[in-house]
Amino acid sequence: PGDALLHGEEISVEGSGNQENFGVWTNSSDWLEWQFRAVKTGKCKLSAEIASPGNGSFTVSLGSQKLTVQAPNTGSYQNYKLVDLGTLEIAQTGKVSISVRAIANGWSPINLRMVKVVPVSK
């Protein structure tokens, strides 16, 4: 979480060390992103650690590609579950941005610990 850029008034990083997470995400217009340099192109599998007492939906975007995901109800903001987000493709090397945005209609806040990007083997 400490490597992400936060956009908005309320979303913040909570906790410390390997227990950091994005929380206080009550405003659905707040969002976050990670910027990194891709050294290879190809498909990537994305997953996230999420905790939420509701079922808020959000999008994960990489360039013009977008995945829509419904967060699982894990029973609390402390009970994290690893969620498969889907597959996206890094089409070119260089600067890349992955963003996570709430879907305003029916937004139920989530705690997000991480988004993991793993290359898909050919």
Side-chain angles (χ1 to χ4, degrees), residues 86-112:
T87 303
L88 294 175
E89 185 167 357
I90 296 176
Q92 61 187 31
T93 59
K95 188 177 177 181
V96 177
S97 176
I98 293 179
S99 64
V100 180
R101 297 176 188 255
I103 294 175
N105 187 16
W107 175 242
S108 178
I110 65 172
N111 278 357
L112 176 65

Side-chain angles (χ1 to χ4, degrees), residues 21-88:
N21 67 271
F22 301 103
V24 197
W25 197 348
T26 56
N27 187 336
S28 63
S29 63
D30 291 359
W31 60 286
L32 58 105
E33 72 176 309
W34 287 273
Q35 295 177 348
F36 61 97
R37 184 161 304 282
V39 295
K40 290 174 43 175
T41 61
K43 291 188 178 190
C44 299
K45 189 172 178 91
L46 285 81
S47 59
E49 286 186 10
I50 299 170
S52 177
N55 294 101
S57 294
F58 59 94
T59 61
V60 179
S61 300
L62 173 67
S64 63
Q65 303 167 81
K66 187 185 295 186
L67 299 169
T68 301
V69 181
Q70 183 172 355
N73 182 330
T74 66
S76 76
Y77 287 117
Q78 291 76 40
N79 186 27
Y80 285 87
K81 180 177 178 183
L82 184 64
V83 177
D84 179 25
L85 304 177
T87 303
L88 294 175

